[in-house]
Amino acid sequence: MTKPVQPLPAAKVLDQQFLDIRCRLLDVAATMDRIGRGDGATHLKDDHRLEKIKKGLFILLDSSSAKAEQIQKLFSLEYDASWEIPKPRY
Amino acid sequence: MNYIDPHIHMISRVTDDYHRMAQCGCVAISEPAFWAGFDRGSAAGFRDYFHHLTEIEPKRAAQFGIRHFSWLCINAKEAENVSLSREVIALIPEYLNKPNVLGIGEIGLNKNTRNEAIIFQEHLDLAAKTNELVLIHTPHLEDKLKGTRMIIDMLKNDTRVVPARVCVDHVEEHTVRFALDNGFWCGMTLYPTTKCTPARAADIIEMVGADRIMVNSAGDWGKSDPLAVPEFILEMRRRGHPESVIQKIVFENPISFFRQSSRWSEPFTLLNDRK
């Protein structure tokens, strides 16, 4: 097993990524505004995709780690461990 | 830095891409059989495709000093048609002695259906019978977590499967540990919008380490970047990771996995090979 691959110090990541994060937040905000301005926006208020986006934003506010993994799971279908596995042949 | 793109669909790319990849240090690629963007009407269409993967594309790559390897199968999307899939699987053995074929792939699931699972298992049967390496496509987006777990279930259920001879591809944050913790190799795909970015792939490396993991572009007919692996190299360098770690991920790891194939050959450098 090779040595762990260490991330950059936290302050350095923030220094490097601050403007990038700001830009992405603005992009999300502007896209939500665009949806809100469009015809039929009120019909979308219960859209399950928008619900998931809102839940994703709450994950960002949470203090726990593995936020990317949590958001991946939020946008994933459920797995059923009892599914019928095909049998190997030969 | 020399690198290998272990998953790219060059049949969909122009020759200029080979040129630019070689300029960036690409010395070898492997090209899995995949969905052509439409469902093929007969097994004869796959025969032509396998001919292309094993005869035509290696010659095109060789012009730029790039070694071309391939994987053969019927992809998960067309596997919904079970009778066609069985005809195609029956064709594969006659191509397995071609010198650039590394194994069976990219097999897997698409919408996680019963038919896809049946054909996945029948590909595993063929790989076991012919002692081939296996390259696995995991589904996209909301289907990925469920499909990856179903694939791992099938692999673990088949006692003939040697995890070190299987690569589970397109892993992301929520699936990478299912592959690694069960002893499989894994691939991260650097693909716009639907898969990993170079930055997220570097994050995953920082979380799980650099063993049994590789990165690829999966460049194809969609909006994709055949130079995604060099982008990853740049991201890792920007973070100050040692060259040795980067080289392990983009060069040594693919070789370690591919070397298990009986048809793997070295060295890679064709342009200055005077034999």
Side-chain angles (χ1 to χ4, degrees):
Chain A
M1 174 98 78
T2 49
K3 285 190 294 190
V5 184
Q6 297 295 337
L8 286 170
K12 190 150 190 166
V13 177
L14 186 57
D15 288 346
Q16 286 184 356
Q17 297 297 312
F18 175 72
L19 286 178
D20 197 39
I21 294 170
R22 175 184 179 277
C23 174
R24 290 179 203 206
L25 275 177
L26 276 171
D27 218 19
V28 171
T31 308
M32 299 302 280
D33 285 346
R34 204 177 309 140
I35 292 169
R37 285 197 309 273
D39 282 346
T42 51
H43 301 304
L44 292 178
K45 68 180 172 52
D46 295 325
D47 189 285
H48 69 98
R49 294 165 299 180
L50 287 178
E51 280 302 308
K52 287 204 167 167
I53 289 168
K54 284 176 192 164
K55 284 181 183 171
L57 293 173
F58 279 111
I59 289 172
L60 293 186
L61 294 174
D62 195 277
S63 59
S64 63
S65 58
K67 291 181 173 58
E69 185 175 350
Q70 286 184 61
I71 287 181
Q72 289 276 24
K73 286 179 176 169
L74 171 68
F75 287 94
S76 295
L77 294 174
E78 284 199 17
Y79 160 76
D80 173 10
S82 65
W83 76 284
E84 189 187 346
I85 302 173
K87 290 188 172 47
R89 297 184 303 175
Y90 308 121
Chain B
M1 179 181 288
N2 283 352
Y3 78 90
I4 294 171
D5 192 332
H7 185 144
I8 184 164
H9 301 288
M10 293 308 296
I11 190 170
S12 309
R13 308 297 314 190
V14 294
T15 303
D16 302 44
D17 288 341
Y18 274 123
H19 190 182
R20 283 192 284 265
M21 289 161 69
Q23 286 175 320
C24 290
C26 182
V27 292
I29 62 149
S30 85
E31 177 161 6
F34 84 141
W35 189 57
F38 62 94
D39 289 352
R40 280 157 279 209
S42 69
F46 284 86
R47 185 183 289 282
D48 289 344
Y49 181 38
F50 295 161
H51 173 74
H52 189 110
L53 289 177
T54 57
E55 299 283 349
I56 308 303
E57 214 56 52
K59 294 190 180 100
R60 206 158 68 109
Q63 296 174 74
F64 302 93
I66 295 175
R67 294 293 292 263
H68 181 282
F69 296 91
S70 63
W71 303 78
L72 305 177
C73 74
I74 179 166
N75 60 86
K77 197 168 167 67
E78 284 168 290
E80 191 56 30
N81 183 338
V82 171
S83 58
L84 174 65
S85 299
R86 288 179 172 149
E87 282 183 65
V88 174
I89 291 172
L91 279 180
I92 294 172
E94 68 184 270
Y95 290 90
L96 287 177
N97 60 355
K98 299 287 185 184
N100 77 325
V101 176
L102 293 176
I104 305 299
E106 56 179 307
I107 61 172
L109 299 177
N110 177 50
K111 298 308 286 182
N112 305 327
T113 68
R114 177 78 188 145
N115 283 351
E116 291 168 14
I118 288 168
I119 294 305
F120 178 86
Q121 182 59 56
E122 292 188 15
H123 278 109
L124 287 185
D125 293 336
L126 175 63
K129 193 174 171 184
T130 53
N131 194 32
E132 295 295 335
L133 297 180
V134 175
L135 178 63
I136 295 176
H137 164 94
T138 53
H140 307 281
L141 302 170
E142 73 271 18
D143 297 303
K144 184 180 292 294
L145 179 62
K146 178 181 178 182
T148 303
R149 296 197 66 177
M150 290 170 69
I151 286 166
I152 300 286
D153 286 345
M154 287 187 277
L155 292 169
K156 288 174 74 174
N157 186 54
D158 190 333
T159 55
R160 304 163 302 179
V161 170
V162 178
R165 291 174 57 79
V166 175
C167 179
V168 178
D169 214 338
H170 315 317
V171 299
E172 294 180 45
E173 292 88 347
H174 54 326
T175 56
V176 63
R177 288 186 181 85
F178 287 112
L180 290 176
D181 293 351
N182 285 291
F184 302 104
W185 284 82
C186 66
M188 292 185 288
T189 297
L190 312 168
Y191 198 96
T193 312
T194 56
K195 297 191 177 74
C196 269
T197 60
R200 280 174 46 224
D203 291 337
I204 292 170
I205 293 289
E206 290 168 357
M207 290 186 279
V208 303
D211 291 334
R212 281 186 287 118
I213 194 162
M214 36 191 137
V215 293
N216 61 68
S217 70
D220 59 8
W221 38 258
K223 186 175 183 295
S224 49
D225 180 8
L227 298 180
V229 177
E231 286 290 347
F232 170 81
I233 293 170
L234 201 58
E235 175 67 21
M236 291 289 282
R237 282 181 175 153
R238 201 172 61 80
R239 298 184 187 197
H241 291 310
E243 292 289 297
S244 59
V245 170
I246 304 171
Q247 186 164 21
K248 177 178 166 66
I249 298 162
V250 303
F251 187 71
E252 293 161 13
N253 281 355
I255 292 176
S256 297
F257 179 63
F258 295 160
R259 201 175 260 155
Q260 299 177 87
S261 166
S262 58
R263 289 172 298 277
W264 174 253
S265 61
E266 295 173 41
F268 310 100
T269 317
L270 290 179
L271 292 181
N272 53 20
D273 183 357
R274 291 170 181 237
K275 288 179 189 166

